[in-house]
Amino acid sequence: MAAWLGGSSGPDPLMVLLVVILLVRFLLWSCLGALIDRRLARPQPRRRKEEKED
């Protein structure tokens, strides 16, 4: 019961791992979202050439 009340010598390694994984996931998600937003906001160059022959 002492572990539940904070009587342990340090934080639970699984809890630390969970927090680290969540932080890394959040950072990657934020960076990826910003990259996608930037790519979508940039106007795409037209690659199609229209040649008209009269």
Side-chain angles (χ1 to χ4, degrees):
M1 189 69 182
W4 287 98
L5 299 174
S8 62
S9 61
D12 188 14
L14 289 177
M15 191 62 74
V16 172
L17 183 64
L18 177 66
V19 169
V20 168
I21 289 173
L22 288 175
L23 283 174
V24 168
R25 181 175 168 246
F26 176 73
L27 288 174
L28 286 176
W29 189 258
S30 298
C31 293
L32 187 62
L35 180 67
I36 290 173
D37 287 343
R38 218 174 336 167
R39 288 202 131 183
L40 289 176
R42 189 182 323 160
Q44 298 292 326
R46 294 186 181 223
R47 296 180 181 221
R48 197 174 91 189
K49 288 186 177 178
E50 294 182 358
E51 295 181 9
K52 294 181 180 177
E53 294 183 18
D54 291 321

